Structures are given as C-alpha cells and as structure tokens.
Amino acid sequence: MRTKRTLSPKKAAAAILAAYGMLTLPLSAMANEEEASKALQRPPVISLQSEAFAEVEQDTVTIYLAAEFDDAQQANVDKKLREALEAVLAEGRKQEVVKVSSGNYRIYPNSDRKGAITGWRGRAEVQLESTNIPAASELAAKVSKDMPIAGLSFSVSPEERAKHEEALTEDAIKRFQSRAKQIASSMGYADFRLNEVNVGGSGGYYRPPMMRAMAGDAGSFKAMGSESMPLESGTEQVSVSVNGSVYLLGGK
C-alpha cells in the first residue's frame, strides 16, 4: 500500500507559485517582445537649440546721489542728512520726467582704538532714473550742491526689451525649425515633427559695470556738479533662445 504524501502549507504554496511562474513566463516574454517591437517602430528623437540676439541701445540712465556728514553729535549728523535729502526730493517733485527715490540712510559711530565713540558719520542716498537722459543729467546737476553724484549706470528699459524680444522670438523659432529640417535631411530623414519646445528670453535685468564712487567718496563727483553732464549710453545684448526636441520622420 502506497503511503499518501502530504505537503506542508508552506511547500504547497511554493509549488503553486512555481507552477504559475512557468505558465506565465511565455506571456511575459511575449509582452517584452511586443514592447521591443514598438520601440523599434518609434521615430528617433533629437534635441537642439537655436538663438537670436540683437544689440539694443541703452535708453535708461540711473544716477546715484549721496551725501555724507561727520559731527561729534549724532543728532547733528541726522539733521544735516535729512536737510540734504529733503532738498533733493523737493526738487524732484517739481518735475515728472525723472523718477526720484530715496536709497540707503545710515548713521554710525566713529571709534578710537579703545572702542570709545569719538564722533558720528552718516550717509544718505537718492536714485534718479529716467529714459530722458538729458533731463536726468540736468536734475542731478541742479541738486548736486546738496547731494553730489556718486555714480551712474545705463540699461535697457523693460518696455524696450519686451519690444525687441517679441521680434527675436519669431526669428529664433524660424531658426529652430530650419535647423531641425537641416539635421533631419543630413541624417537621411524626409521631415520632422515637434516633440517639445521651450522659449526663453535673455532673463535678468542686465546692468553693465557702472561708474560709482566708493562709500566715503561721494565728493569725488562734485566737479561735475554745477552744469549738466554730457552723458552717452552704450548698447546691450538682448537674446531669445529656443530649445527642445523633434521626431525624425520618413527615414530613407
């Protein structure tokens, strides 16, 4: 008489799983082959980038004014700075062509080697900004007796930048399409289809290195004071880039 063999629950489960795996293995292999076949049928993808740029005249000037005072009493330094600041702002309110805004305002102690306070020093700043460069220069000269010129810089206004970027965007897109067509033809394909495209401008507000006095040297530009300075702006590069990927179609 043959003895009936009984498997433990653990071994029985393992046997069932093994049998199930043997049954499903061919199905998994078929699925992998199908995926591989689809991958071979997909058109190749290439990534590329194009750029269009232009040299744009800087149409905006920013003039930095600063006044500094020393005194044994903190209150006296504060009073002198406030008087200079109010005089400049009052003159700025008389016109609407130049944007006038107050900047840093600081009073700090002067100390000897032992750390004892020997006096006080203060600095107040004002910025003049305008696309009317002669008007800004004239205003800076007018208030220079109260707050001398400490530096200046030129830039492209947001409105002018946006106008040029609009035209450059169209040019950059045309260059992207032309390059994609050229690459497709060179690689033996008849055409291309867009996959993903990103369009970006030149980004941050770029200011070239500016002429500006170091702290404590606000008087360096006093010689410019009484008359309007002859100012001449430069140029700045504005660019738009297009990057992305395309499908290559109609392989030969």
Side-chain angles (χ1 to χ4, degrees), residues 19-190:
Y20 180 77
M22 292 177 65
L23 291 173
T24 57
L25 181 59
L27 296 177
S28 299
M30 290 176 61
N32 291 336
E33 289 180 3
E34 185 177 353
E35 286 297 323
S37 177
K38 288 181 179 179
L40 290 174
Q41 294 175 5
R42 293 191 190 112
V45 180
I46 61 168
S47 298
L48 63 153
Q49 178 176 330
S50 67
E51 186 175 21
F53 57 90
E55 290 291 329
V56 180
E57 189 76 22
Q58 294 170 323
D59 63 337
T60 303
V61 65
T62 302
I63 302 176
Y64 304 88
L65 310 177
E68 295 188 352
F69 295 103
D70 289 284
D71 199 278
Q73 300 297 321
Q74 181 180 5
N76 292 341
V77 174
D78 181 61
K79 180 182 178 182
K80 292 176 181 178
L81 288 176
R82 288 179 181 274
E83 288 175 349
L85 186 60
E86 181 55 38
V88 174
L89 295 178
E91 193 66 40
R93 296 187 195 105
K94 296 178 183 179
Q95 52 80 51
E96 298 180 353
V97 179
V98 182
K99 178 183 176 182
V100 182
S101 57
S102 55
N104 294 327
Y105 187 96
R106 184 189 176 200
I107 299 175
Y108 52 93
N110 291 324
S111 305
D112 59 19
R113 293 181 178 180
K114 296 181 179 180
I117 295 176
T118 58
W120 296 84
R121 185 177 181 84
R123 178 182 175 93
E125 298 179 357
V126 168
Q127 292 183 12
L128 311 180
E129 183 176 316
S130 180
T131 54
N132 189 325
I133 296 177
S137 175
E138 182 179 351
L139 179 59
K142 188 177 294 186
V143 301
S144 63
K145 64 183 184 299
D146 298 300
M147 194 168 285
I149 296 171
L152 60 88
S153 67
F154 293 96
S155 60
V156 177
S157 64
E159 296 78 13
E160 189 71 10
R161 182 182 295 276
K163 183 177 71 175
H164 283 276
E165 284 186 347
E166 184 176 346
L168 290 172
T169 297
E170 184 176 352
D171 188 17
I173 291 174
K174 288 181 179 179
R175 293 188 182 192
F176 182 90
Q177 293 174 323
S178 176
R179 190 176 182 193
K181 185 175 182 180
Q182 179 186 13
I183 292 174
S185 177
S186 298
M187 297 183 69
Y189 288 84

